Amino acid sequence: MMYFLRRIAAAIPVMMGISLIAFALSAASPGDPAVEALTLNGVNEPTQSEIDAKRAELGLNDPMAVQYIHWLWRACHGDLGTSYMTKESVSGELLRRLPVTLSVSGMALIIAVGTGIPLGMLMALMKNTAVDHTARIAALSLVSIPGFWLAILMITVFSEKLHWLPTSGYGTIKHLIMPAIVLAAGTSAVLMRLTRAALLEVWNQAYIVTAKAKGLRDIRILLIHALRNAMIPLITVIGSYFGAILGGSVIVEVIFAIPGIGRFAMDGIFRRDYPVIQGYVVFTGLVYVAFNVLVDFSYLVIHPQLRLGGKLQ
């Protein structure tokens, strides 16, 4: 319980910093939010009286500190403001679009873990062989390829040339395949190399030598003994990846026209919809922090000895 309370206490100042940065960036952005709100509402050339009335309605005449406190108080109660574009609650829009983004990111995570860890295990078992060298070159290539270029390449090959998959949209499993592969490519390569390095690091430990002396096969030793002790860095990467994917999915959602929170945020940026931008930054920051806390707790599941002696930090 004390460990839990310490982790939550450590996350609070992080979220405060994220909220402050989100508010400050929007406040420092060029243009007047009142004018932008009136323009998005269909008023092409608002008069000064209309601008003054809108500024008073939005509370923009208050000092910046007062504006931040009011905004933070509402955000703590789940109110991230109202979108200038849709006239809907930003919180409601984010929650409505979140399942779309989670479906893409969830499938990407399955692909990344399902390919990266097994291939990394194979690389460790076949160290310094042709298979190992080929896989390392492939991993380096995947890490180096920009996501937007890979997305365009896949659309050209699998949609325009082969007509196997739809170019854009959302609704079926086929619509998720290419976006998920694009999101998973880099992380899969990182997991490959990290799994290989972690397994090779523990391969010469005393308990592994003992298992070999008992006559156990290498694959059994790898799966039952070595992999569990090599999982902490892998869990860290997976947890950080899944939290960061909400921010990294913006480009993919725009390219493939997926109506997720990334696309919603990008539309808000283009139209200077300040409540959407602020809400997106705070929401993704909260998800990222939450996943990092969950990663910390997962260490206890993998290594129960960390709970002994009250030595958790």
Side-chain angles (χ1 to χ4, degrees), residues 70-284:
H70 289 167
W71 175 79
L72 182 61
W73 176 257
R74 293 194 300 269
C76 290
H77 290 78
D79 181 10
L80 296 175
T82 302
S83 170
Y84 300 158
M85 296 182 296
T86 64
K87 308 298 185 298
E88 300 288 341
S89 167
V90 174
S91 303
E93 284 287 329
L94 290 173
L95 291 176
R96 183 176 66 84
R97 295 168 180 264
L98 181 61
V100 177
T101 299
L102 288 180
S103 64
V104 179
S105 58
M107 187 170 181
L109 183 64
I110 293 173
I111 294 174
V113 173
T115 58
I117 293 180
L119 288 175
M121 294 168 59
L122 180 63
M123 293 164 66
L125 282 175
M126 307 185 69
K127 178 185 175 183
N128 294 330
T129 64
V131 173
D132 183 27
H133 294 316
T134 303
R136 292 167 68 182
I137 294 174
L140 182 61
S141 301
L142 288 175
V143 170
S144 305
I145 295 176
F148 69 89
W149 185 85
L150 180 60
I152 295 173
L153 177 64
M154 294 189 68
I155 290 174
T156 302
V157 174
F158 295 105
S159 297
E160 301 297 332
K161 300 296 184 181
L162 300 177
H163 303 287
W164 288 355
L165 300 170
T167 57
S168 61
Y170 178 82
T172 66
I173 191 67
K174 288 186 176 181
H175 290 95
L176 300 179
I177 294 177
M178 288 196 295
I181 292 176
V182 172
L183 284 175
T187 303
S188 177
V190 171
L191 287 176
M192 288 169 58
R193 296 174 63 88
L194 189 59
T195 302
R196 177 185 183 276
L199 289 175
L200 292 178
E201 183 178 351
V202 303
W203 197 245
N204 293 320
Q205 297 291 330
Y207 66 93
I208 298 294
V209 175
T210 302
K212 291 181 179 179
K214 291 180 179 180
L216 298 178
R217 297 175 59 186
D218 284 351
I219 186 63
R220 181 179 176 85
I221 297 173
L222 187 71
L223 292 174
I224 297 179
H225 300 285
L227 185 60
R228 183 170 183 176
N229 289 280
M231 280 300 291
I232 283 186
L234 300 180
I235 290 293
T236 302
V237 171
I238 293 170
S240 300
Y241 159 76
F242 196 70
I245 199 173
L246 296 179
S249 64
V250 173
I251 295 177
V252 170
E253 290 184 3
V254 170
I255 293 176
F256 291 100
I258 298 173
I261 62 174
R263 176 69 179 273
F264 182 55
M266 186 61 69
D267 290 342
I269 293 172
F270 286 145
R271 301 184 184 184
R272 292 183 180 178
D273 194 338
Y274 297 106
V276 171
I277 300 171
Q278 292 173 332
Y280 175 78
V281 173
V282 171
F283 183 79
T284 53

Side-chain angles (χ1 to χ4, degrees), residues 33-69:
V35 175
E36 300 298 336
L38 289 170
T39 302
L40 289 176
N41 289 341
V43 182
N44 295 326
E45 296 182 2
T47 63
Q48 188 61 45
S49 60
E50 291 175 328
I51 295 175
D52 293 340
K54 179 59 71 172
R55 288 186 62 84
E57 176 187 340
L58 298 177
L60 299 176
N61 295 326
D62 297 330
M64 295 301 298
V66 175
Q67 293 183 44
Y68 172 69
I69 292 173

